[in-house]
Structures are given as structure tokens and as C-alpha cells.
């Protein structure tokens, strides 16, 4: 039977904020996570243990993780909090915090929970790229070197009962190499990362260059390589306005997990016109129009999108958010 439930992964607090030049106060980031946790979202990407020289905005990730675990964040539904870690250096910082609060989160996979409020589960996300130029620009190493660095991160995270997500950037286009990214490279990388122990692959259309036919071809190639629908999440940036079309193509191929960002937060200050992730409000509205269920409160999301856009000094990038609020 047709499965009409869709899992949304909210990446606004990380992907949406990481490129902001002006330091966003820690309290604002925590308030964003607290508000998102009340909307019914099952996964919130909350931070990133990367070099503060590379991404200064994510330097507060230790404080964010500590807050989530020591103070707790009220929510009705079980929540997973996700944090990026590109190497053992980043993972060790996360692990030290997790060890101090080992009673405050559930192992993954979580035991069946009867009592609410539930404790969260924690996810660690590594991030590879489908092109050598992007790997070099984002991680300062080749694709093969990045896999070598991820292997101990993935195995240590699994040994610590954490969920592991592995991103692949530039699956449908690259800012340096254009649109000719091979789906076979993406498929091989996906298989390697799953074999290394990742629980899920998130396929990043980093530049938003993906089109409907290319998305279809990519997903067919992944299926031929043995990937299952539950192995895959789609991560669309909406720079060319194709994210919802590509979402529909992914749904038709059986995809049921999508990354998005409240208010469509994000955008690179160095490339004019580049935009953030597809907005969570737009994705929820679109999925509901197809009769699918996300469990997410659209009105509440729209208010958060408007609020956080104001906080970061950007126009609300969600069409649905603006429409719902009559703005
Ligand atoms: P590097 O310069 O080659 O690193 O960068 P290194 O190992 O030579 O170390 C240099 C310095 O960084 C040292 O400090 C290290 O200690 C420190 P120093 O001795 O100079 O004071 N360092 C760290 N500090 C904190 N946390 C760490 C860490 N590692 C080293 N984890 C490195 C290599 C991977 C660190 C760097 O390239 C980096 O941080 N890259 C992250 C870039 C990033 O965060 N990008 C955004 C996330 S990915 C994304 O947005 C795409 C996605 O959304 C999907 C899509 O849309 O495509 C996921
Ligand atoms: Mg992204």
C-alpha cells in the first residue's frame, strides 16, 4: 500500500544559519530549536563540530549540545538532534559532551518508548562530496581521504549508540564542475558510506542545479546500486526554484525523507543569488496537498520562519510561510 507518511529533517539551525556573517546569539539559536521542537518535527539538525576558522557561526555548537542534554527541550514527539562532525577532532568534542550527559539521551535504535516526554536520540553526520573540487573546498582533502577520515568517526559513533547520517554534496551539480556530476560516483559513494556503517545517506543538491529528469536518473542509478528508499534522504537547495518539482520526482521514486529549512534560511554571502534549503513550510504545504502526512504544524512553522528571518535580518524566503501569515 502507498505509504503516505513523510519524515522531515529540519536543517535550519545548522545549514540555514552557518553562512550568516553576523554572529547569531546563542539564546536565539536555542530559542529556534526550542520552537521547532514544538512543531512536531522528528529531526532537528542543531549544530556542527567543524573548525571555527572555516565556519565561525557554528562555534557555539558545544553549548547548544550541552543545553539540549543538560536542560532538555520540551516536545510531544520523540526527537533526534543531529550534529555534523567531519573528523575525529570534531567527533571527540561531541563525544566528551555526550559522555557527561549519557543519561540524557536514548541509544539508537531507541527501545520502544511508552512514557512521554521522551529523551532524544543523537545523530552524528559526516559530509562527503561527489566532486573532487567541492571536497577540497569544503573539507580540504580528496574524496578518498575524506572517506578515510569518516571511517573512525562512523565506527566510534556507532559504538557509542549514536545514529549516523552521511551527506553527499553536489549530487546534481557542483559550483566548480557544473552540472556534469556522474550519478555512478554518487551511487558508489553511497554504497561505501553505508558499508562504513552510516544509517542514512542525505543527497545534497548543494547548488540547486538539479532538474526533474536528473533527479529521476540519479534515483534510478541508486536503486540499481542496491540502495533502498529508507537509506536515502533528499536535501534540496532551492536556488533555481526546482526543489518542489524534484521533491515530487523523489516521492514518485519512493523517497519519504526530506531535508528542509524553516523560512528557507540559508544562502552564501559570497555568491549572490544563491539561496538556502527549500523551506520547510513549502515542503509541508506541498506534501499535504498530495494527501501526505508530516505530523508538522504548518501555522507554527510559518510563525517561526517569520520570526527567525527577522532575527537574521533577511526577508522571509518561504512563499507558503508568507501566504499563511498573510504577509
Ligand atoms: P584543515 O585546515 O585541513 O584542518 O581543515 P587541519 O586538520 O589541518 O586543522 C587545522 C586547524 O583546525 C587546527 O587548529 C585543528 O585543530 C582545527 P590550529 O592548530 O590551526 O589551531 N580543527 C578543528 N577545530 C574544531 N573542530 C574540528 C576541527 N578539525 C580541525 N572538527 C576541516 C579541515 C575539515 C577541519 C575543515 O575543512 C572544516 O572545518 N570544514 C568544514 C566545512 C563546513 O562546515 N562546511 C559546511 C558543512 S557541509 C554543507 O553545508 C553541505 C550540506 O548541507 C549538504 C549540501 O547542501 O550539499 C551538508
Ligand atoms: Mg546544505
Amino acid at each position: 500500500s502507498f505509504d503516505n507518511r513523510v519524515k522531515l529533517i529540519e536543517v535550519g539551525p545548522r545549514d540555514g544559519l552557518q553562512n550568516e556573517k553576523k554572529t547569531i546569539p546563542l539564546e536565539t539559536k536555542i530559542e529556534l530549536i526550542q520552537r521547532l521542537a514544538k512543531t512536531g518535527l522528528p529531526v532537528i539538525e542543531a549544530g556542527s563540530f567543524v573548525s571555527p576558522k572555516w565556519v565561525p557561526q557554528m562555534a557555539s555548537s558545544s553549548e547548544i549540545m550541552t543545553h539540549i542534554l543538560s536542560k532538555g527541550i520540551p516536545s510531544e514527539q520523540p526527537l533526534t538532534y543531529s550534529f555534523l562532525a567531519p573528523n575525529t577532532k570534531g567527533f571527540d568534542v561531541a563525544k566528551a559532551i555526550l559522555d557527561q550527559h549519557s543519561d540524557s539521551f536514548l541509544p539508537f535504535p531507541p527501545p520502544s518508548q511508552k512514557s512521554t516526554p521522551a529523551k532524544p536520540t543523537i545523530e552524528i553526520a559526516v559530509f562527503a562530496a561527489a566532486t573532487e573540487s567541492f571536497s577540497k573546498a569544503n573539507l580540504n582533502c580528496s574524496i578518498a581521504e575524506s572517506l578515510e577520515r569518516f571511517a573512525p568517526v562512523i565506527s566510534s559513533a556507532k559504538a557509542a549508540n549514536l545514529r549516523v547520517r552521511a551527506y553527499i554534496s553536489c549530487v546534481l551539480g557542483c559550483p566548480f564542475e557544473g552540472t556534469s556530476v556522474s550519478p555512478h560516483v554518487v551511487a558508489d559513494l553511497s554504497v561505501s558510506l553505508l558499508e562504513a556503517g552510516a544509517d542514512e545517506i542525505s543527497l545534497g543538491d548543494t547548488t540547486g542545479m538539479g532538474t526533474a529528469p536528473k533527479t529521476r536518473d540519479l534515483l534510478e542509478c541508486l536503486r540499481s546500486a542496491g540502495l533502498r528508499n529508507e537509506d536515502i534522504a533528499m536535501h534540496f537547495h532551492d536556488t533555481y526554484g526546482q526543489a518542489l518539482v524534484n521533491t515530487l520526482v523523489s516521492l514518485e521514486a519512493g523517497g519519504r525523507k526530506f531535508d528542509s529549512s524553516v523560512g528557507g534560511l540559508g544562502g552564501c554571502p559570497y555568491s549572490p543569488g544563491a539561496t538556502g534549503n527549500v523551506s520547510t513550510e513549502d515542503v509541508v504545504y506541498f506534501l499535504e496537498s498530495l494527501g501526505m502526512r508530516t505530523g508538522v504544524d504548518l501555522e507554527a512553522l510559518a510563525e517561526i520562519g517569520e520570526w527567525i528571518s527577522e532575527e537574521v535580518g533577511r526577508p522571509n524566503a518561504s512563499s507558503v510561510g508568507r501566504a499563511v501569515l498573510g504577509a
Side-chain angles (χ1 to χ4, degrees), residues 11 14-15 18 45 167 169 204-206 235-237 277:
V11 299
R14 193 280 305 173
D15 207 350
Q18 70 182 3
E45 197 171 65
Y167 279 104
S169 285
D205 183 13
T206 315
H235 178 104
F236 293 120
H237 285 258
N277 299 88

Side-chain angles (χ1 to χ4, degrees), residues 143-206:
I143 297 171
E145 282 164 340
S146 76
L147 292 180
E148 280 169 32
R149 290 182 193 178
F150 299 152
V153 175
I154 296 173
S155 58
S156 307
K158 292 309 296 175
N161 296 320
L162 306 172
R163 192 172 194 272
V164 174
R165 154 172 265 225
Y167 279 104
I168 304 175
S169 285
C170 298
V171 300
L172 294 165
C174 169
F176 312 106
E177 299 183 26
T179 53
S180 61
V181 177
S182 159
H184 298 283
V185 171
V186 179
D188 288 350
L189 260 174
S190 303
V191 169
S192 301
L193 289 161
L194 288 173
E195 280 174 359
D199 295 296
E200 169 179 288
I201 307 293
S202 175
L203 300 170
D205 183 13
T206 315

